[in-house]
Amino acid sequence: MPSPHPVMARPAAAPRGRTAFVLSGGAAHAAVQVGMLQALTDAGIEPDLLVGASAGALNAVAFAADPTQHGVDRLATAWRDVRRRDIFPLGLSGLLLGAVGRRDHLVSNRGLRKLIYRFAGIGRLEDAQLPVHVLATDLRTGEPVVLSRGDVAPALLASTAIPGLFPPIESSGRTLIDGGVAADTPVAQAEALGATTIYVLPSYGTDLAAARPRSAAAVGLRSVGQLLGHVGADKIAAARRATVHLLPAPPTSAVSPFDFPGSVRLIDEATRLATSWLQHDQAAVLSPAVGL
């Protein structure tokens, strides 16, 4: 008898000896992952599966649907067309209702839903050319939830539901929110799915020379960007058997995680950095034997 909740179904573990791309969240900063996908594709590195959290899940699904140069170009075009008002249409009524506790979010996810259809190119996760797994977080328990089958829209709406900003998604008796809350860098989940070689595509690059933010708004935006795009060393270290490659990301400290045109300008820099790393710096491997 088939499961009555296909979106929540967990696949059997994949055979060992597989390569995974793991894409972290980061709101607008996740645009830099397009450059990394470009470099990996040009280098002929092909994944057997993809695992994404939050905005990284959008990129993971889009690439899994068409893991070719054409697919990367299509994804880059989709990012270049995004504007903040498309996803974060802040209105006074929504802010007031959220502030007084009349609803559990500040922004409708209608714009985000439209963006998902533009990015994904497929209706169901299992329709992708490569296996793709989307991370969400169970709001009640805080545990990561792996979504591998079912409709793309609710899976990605759950994975990108920034707490307090977007509405949580109800699915199979669970209340789901942004996957980055439980697994900002879902390396352990990729390994559990059978990956023995993992390429981590972060979205937040640190600029040690960046000026200290002076205003409250600037501090808040910098902090949100770090939170959403943080690649936790503890998550990478959680890999017990896999060899983990952490690709370099261009500095995004000066770009708001809600500044989509600003982040898109970093795609070319991300391509250059990742290409150089793939050609010269692959000795910087985070393997279980070496540690961090």
Side-chain angles (χ1 to χ4, degrees):
M1 179 177 179
S3 168
H5 308 301
V7 173
M8 302 297 297
R10 293 174 180 265
R16 292 291 168 182
R18 312 192 81 191
T19 296
F21 289 176
V22 169
L23 291 81
S24 66
H29 291 167
V32 301
Q33 294 170 347
V34 179
M36 299 173 197
L37 289 170
Q38 175 72 69
L40 288 164
T41 300
D42 288 346
I45 299 175
E46 301 176 353
D48 297 296
L49 66 149
L50 293 99
V51 186
S54 197
L58 278 171
N59 289 332
V61 170
F63 184 75
D66 186 1
T68 64
Q69 179 63 60
H70 177 269
V72 175
D73 291 343
R74 178 181 173 276
L75 183 56
T77 298
W79 272 107
R80 292 190 178 99
D81 289 341
V82 177
R83 295 295 180 267
R84 179 167 57 184
R85 64 179 178 272
D86 297 333
I87 305 175
F88 304 109
L90 290 173
L92 182 58
S93 61
L95 292 174
L96 289 174
L97 288 172
V100 301
R102 296 288 299 276
R103 69 181 193 184
D104 57 8
H105 60 282
L106 298 177
V107 180
S108 166
N109 63 11
R110 287 192 296 271
L112 184 56
R113 184 182 290 272
K114 291 179 181 178
L115 182 72
I116 286 170
Y117 288 126
R118 190 190 314 170
F119 270 61
I122 53 175
R124 296 179 64 83
L125 293 172
E126 60 267 35
D127 292 339
Q129 294 189 38
L130 296 174
V132 60
H133 310 275
V134 172
L135 263 290
T137 300
D138 187 316
L139 179 59
R140 184 180 65 83
T141 66
E143 293 297 317
V145 177
V146 181
L147 308 174
S148 304
R149 299 182 61 83
D151 292 339
V152 164
L156 289 178
L157 285 173
S159 186
T160 56
I162 300 172
L165 188 61
F166 290 122
I169 300 299
E170 300 293 334
S171 180
S172 302
R174 295 187 182 189
T175 302
L176 302 180
I177 59 171
D178 196 300
V181 174
D184 54 333
T185 312
V187 167
Q189 286 75 21
E191 189 178 39
L193 289 160
T196 54
T197 300
I198 298 173
Y199 288 85
V200 174
L201 284 63
S203 61
Y204 190 85
T206 301
D207 184 359
L208 297 178
R212 178 183 179 276
R214 297 296 177 182
S215 69
V219 171
L221 288 173
R222 177 80 62 87
S223 300
V224 169
Q226 290 175 325
L227 175 65
L228 293 175
H230 172 67
V231 176
D234 56 333
K235 301 297 194 302
I236 294 177
R240 301 297 182 184
R241 294 169 297 277
T243 298
V244 181
H245 304 264
L246 177 61
L247 275 72
T252 54
S253 302
V255 180
S256 163
F258 305 110
D259 178 6
F260 291 89
S263 289
V264 164
R265 289 194 294 270
L266 298 173
I267 290 178
D268 291 342
E269 178 65 9
T271 304
R272 185 190 67 78
L273 283 174
T275 299
S276 176
W277 181 86
L278 288 166
Q279 291 174 345
H280 306 295
D281 302 324
Q282 284 211 58
V285 173
L286 306 175
S287 67
V290 175
L292 294 176

